[in-house]
């Protein structure tokens, strides 16, 4: 039998953006329901085990990593830093990032949801939505096999793939070429303590094997996940040369190919590279990492030019500090930096549907072009857009003026 519920705000997707959005709406005193298809929280941070949070700190050659944001995102990052027992790292180019432990990420998200008395459906997926007079009225989900209808006042799509816009037949921002997917896996028993050196050793051996036709030429797209080498264990990330298309079966095919690569690569390292002589493959992240998906159409479309010119907005809701990072299937990463010691902002319009009054977006499915999302998808920015979308959805549910809410977000976060 179908269950029918009423709530103020529904959040679809329990990744970094979804958790931030749910907490923000709950902090405004509203009843919030979170829907997540997995049995745990964190999204890409915990399913694909991406390993570092980017976009939290100023883009600067200063060795001290200084937050570019305050409020919820900083609170979350500080808790994660302490629970993961790590500190920020930085590159010679000036990007700073925070390594974290996957279990700590999951636990912090769950604690936040429980503390804020947010209702949650795990193992739940969206079936369809009801829209009337350009307002979302309800979502219909299947939760643990049972149909549930949730009537709502406002909704935030944090699915990473604009699942609500798809269900409501709204215009989507699609890419001709989605960024390359990657698979993270863990090897233990590694006899090298310096991460940089390990990366160099690995790359030299892989290049030589590729040049001698022992390995395919894509096997050089392997990276050490920064900050992960601890107690002789290291997380490695391999880029998958197969196109991400979203066609039926594509995800499964990507995962199958990824598992084959992980097997071949780990065997090669164990047999051919001294530092891995006594190592073994101990873990593969539960999901392949899909970097970009379909975005929703908002009142404003963030562009690569906005990012690279460090554009600021009167209605800004996030300070964004990460370069445009493009991972193509047939090459290693391609990075476009903006001016050192500067940043761009994300305006509120990127989070608000241009057709449905009570529909908001956050995280990697905000209204942005391919180039802009190649920067704005990192988690420091997803946490900020999540929190802001939660505040904006709460204002919509309470019929409060959006301008006042944006000023509050700016005071709290920026
Ligand atoms: C290989 C890789 C490496 C990366 N490296 C970094 C990095 O080093 N640092 C960094 O900051 N960022 C990195 N990123 C980017 C970052 O991890 C993601 O962009 C970010 O985590 C997205 O957060 P989100 O909350 O928007 O979406 P997601 O994390 O994708 O969360 C979406 C959630 O929605 C749920 N969901 C989706 N559809 C449905 C549905 N129909 N019903 C119910 N639930 C649904 C999903 O299960 C998921 O939990 C990387 C990404 C990848 C793939």
């Amino acid at each position: 039998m179908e269950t029918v519920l009423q709530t103020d705000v529904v959040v679809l997707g329990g990744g970094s953006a979804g958790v931030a959005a749910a907490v923000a709406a709950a902090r405004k005193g509203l009843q919030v329901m979170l829907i997540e298809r997995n049995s745990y929280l964190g999204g890409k941070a915990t399913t694909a085990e991406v390993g570092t949070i980017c976009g939290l700190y100023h883009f600067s050659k200063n060795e001290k990593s200084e937050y570019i944001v305050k409020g919820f995102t900083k609170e979350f990052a500080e808790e994660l830093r302490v629970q993961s027992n790590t500190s920020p790292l930085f590159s010679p180019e000036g990007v700073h990032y925070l390594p974290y432990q996957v279990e700590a990420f999951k636990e912090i998200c769950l604690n936040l949801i429980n503390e804020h008395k947010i209702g949650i459906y795990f193992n739940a997926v969206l079936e369809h939505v009801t829209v009337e007079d350009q307002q979302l009225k309800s979502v219909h989900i299947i939760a643990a096999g049972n149909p549930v209808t949730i009537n709502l006042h406002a909704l935030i799509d944090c699915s990473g793939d604009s699942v609500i816009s798809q269900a409501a037949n709204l215009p989507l921002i699609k890419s001709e070429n989605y960024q390359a997917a990657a698979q993270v896996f863990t090897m233990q028993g590694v006899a090298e303590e310096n991460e940089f050196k390990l990366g160099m050793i690995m790359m030299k051996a892989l290049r030589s094997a590729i040049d001698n036709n022992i390995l395919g030429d894509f096997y050089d797209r392997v990276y050490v996940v920064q900050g992960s080498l601890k107690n002789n264990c290291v997380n490695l990330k391999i880029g998958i040369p197969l196109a991400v298309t979203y066609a039926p079966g594509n995800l499964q095919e990507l995962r199958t190919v990824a598992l084959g690569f992980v097997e071949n690569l780990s065997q090669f390292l164990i047999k051919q590279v001294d530092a891995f002589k006594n190592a073994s493959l101990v873990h593969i992240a539960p999901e392949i990492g899909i970097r970009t998906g379909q975005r929703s159409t908002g009142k404003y479309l963030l562009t690569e030019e906005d990012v690279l010119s460090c554009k600021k907005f009167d209605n800004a809701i996030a300070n964004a500090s990460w370069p445009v990072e493009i991972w193509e299937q047939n090459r290693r990463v391609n990075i476009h930096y903006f001016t050192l010691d500067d940043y761009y902002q994300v305006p509120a319009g990127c989070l608000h549907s241009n057709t449905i009054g009570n529909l908001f977006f956050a995280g990697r499915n905000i209204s942005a072009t391919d180039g802009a999302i190649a920067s704005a998808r990192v988690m420091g920015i997803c946490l900020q857009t999540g929190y802001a979308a939660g505040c904006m959805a709460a204002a919509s549910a309470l019929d409060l003026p959006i301008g006042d809410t944006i000023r509050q977000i700016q005071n709290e976060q920026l």
Side-chain angles (χ1 to χ4, degrees), residues 12-18 35-38 42-45 50 52-54 124-126 158-160 163 182 237 289-291 362-364 377-380 382:
L12 181 75
S16 38
I35 300 161
E36 169 53 50
R37 72 177 162 201
N38 287 323
K44 293 286 167 283
V50 304
T52 63
I53 300 205
C54 305
V125 284
L126 184 84
C158 301
S159 64
V163 165
K237 178 176 72 178
I290 304 288
R291 289 188 166 90
R364 66 190 180 92
R377 68 189 174 85
V378 296
M379 285 186 275
C382 290

Side-chain angles (χ1 to χ4, degrees), residues 28-102:
K28 299 287 176 200
L30 297 192
Q31 213 183 5
V32 183
M33 190 69 80
L34 178 61
I35 300 161
E36 169 53 50
R37 72 177 162 201
N38 287 323
S39 56
Y40 54 91
L41 297 167
K44 293 286 167 283
T46 56
T47 58
E49 304 186 357
V50 304
T52 63
I53 300 205
C54 305
L56 290 170
Y57 309 106
H58 281 275
F59 175 41
S60 155
K61 294 218 173 173
N62 191 340
E63 291 193 4
K64 191 165 181 291
S65 303
E66 283 181 67
Y67 280 101
I68 188 122
V69 61
K70 37 185 201 170
F72 173 81
T73 301
K74 185 174 171 187
E75 281 168 40
F76 185 96
E78 276 300 291
E79 182 68 17
L80 189 60
R81 184 183 63 74
V82 171
Q83 300 276 340
S84 302
N85 193 19
T86 57
S87 353
L89 300 172
F90 61 95
S91 77
E93 290 79 17
V95 293
H96 296 240
Y97 42 90
L98 182 70
Y100 64 87
Q101 296 290 332
V102 168

Side-chain angles (χ1 to χ4, degrees), residues 49-348:
E49 304 186 357
V50 304
T52 63
I53 300 205
C54 305
L56 290 170
Y57 309 106
H58 281 275
F59 175 41
S60 155
K61 294 218 173 173
N62 191 340
E63 291 193 4
K64 191 165 181 291
S65 303
E66 283 181 67
Y67 280 101
I68 188 122
V69 61
K70 37 185 201 170
F72 173 81
T73 301
K74 185 174 171 187
E75 281 168 40
F76 185 96
E78 276 300 291
E79 182 68 17
L80 189 60
R81 184 183 63 74
V82 171
Q83 300 276 340
S84 302
N85 193 19
T86 57
S87 353
L89 300 172
F90 61 95
S91 77
E93 290 79 17
V95 293
H96 296 240
Y97 42 90
L98 182 70
Y100 64 87
Q101 296 290 332
V102 168
E103 288 310 314
F105 200 110
K106 280 187 192 167
E107 196 177 315
I108 291 169
C109 289
L110 191 59
N111 288 345
L112 279 166
I113 296 303
N114 290 337
E115 263 169 42
H116 289 85
K117 305 199 174 356
I118 294 162
I120 184 153
Y121 275 109
F122 281 119
N123 305 310
V125 284
L126 184 84
E127 277 283 288
H128 62 278
V129 297
T130 305
V131 179
E132 279 170 24
D133 301 329
Q134 302 200 304
Q135 296 284 312
L136 271 167
K137 294 292 174 193
S138 53
V139 289
H140 309 269
I141 62 170
I142 302 288
N146 300 312
V148 181
T149 289
I150 310 174
N151 297 319
L152 55 91
H153 292 299
L155 187 142
I156 311 157
D157 186 347
C158 301
S159 64
D161 202 21
S162 300
V163 165
I164 296 293
S165 296
Q166 290 184 52
N169 282 321
L170 301 177
L172 291 162
I173 304 164
K174 298 184 180 185
S175 304
E176 264 178 42
N177 299 303
Y178 289 98
Q179 293 206 22
Q183 180 68 57
V184 172
F185 60 101
T186 310
M187 297 201 63
Q188 82 175 12
V190 178
E192 174 56 62
E193 284 172 13
N194 182 304
E195 231 169 52
F196 179 73
K197 258 170 87 183
L198 184 69
M200 296 300 284
I201 292 169
M202 207 170 62
M203 203 42 62
K204 205 171 146 204
L206 292 171
R207 274 275 29 122
S208 158
I210 292 165
D211 292 345
N212 291 304
N213 296 322
I214 296 166
L215 289 176
D217 64 2
F218 38 82
Y219 277 93
D220 66 345
R221 272 160 252 158
V222 183
Y223 299 80
V224 172
V225 174
Q226 301 289 293
S228 71
L229 178 60
K230 276 196 185 118
N231 307 324
N232 305 103
C233 253
V234 70
N235 291 350
L236 302 175
K237 178 176 72 178
I238 180 162
I240 308 301
L242 196 70
V244 175
T245 62
Y246 287 93
N250 176 240
L251 200 60
Q252 187 52 49
E253 197 186 354
L254 284 161
R255 175 76 174 171
T256 307
V257 169
L259 295 181
F261 285 175
V262 169
E263 182 60 31
N264 288 347
L265 180 66
S266 55
Q267 285 309 314
F268 170 83
L269 293 173
I270 292 164
K271 285 188 191 133
Q272 305 294 335
V273 183
D274 261 4
F276 288 89
K277 199 167 62 188
N278 297 316
S280 54
L281 171 66
V282 284
H283 173 74
I284 302 177
E287 282 182 15
I288 188 165
I290 304 288
R291 289 188 166 90
T292 45
Q294 306 180 98
R295 279 88 64 205
S296 310
T297 310
K299 292 182 188 297
Y300 185 83
L301 179 71
L302 190 73
T303 65
E304 184 168 354
E305 198 191 329
D306 295 337
V307 172
L308 294 178
S309 65
C310 292
K311 189 159 175 173
K312 313 291 188 299
F313 296 87
D314 287 345
N315 64 346
I317 49 74
N319 283 345
S321 173
W322 196 255
V324 172
E325 198 183 294
I326 298 168
W327 298 75
E328 289 172 9
Q329 273 82 12
N330 59 358
R331 55 183 296 171
R332 286 167 75 87
V333 63
N334 187 1
I335 303 182
H336 308 280
Y337 294 97
F338 45 76
T339 314
L340 206 60
D341 298 312
D342 207 347
Y343 62 94
Y344 66 94
Q345 292 184 317
V346 180

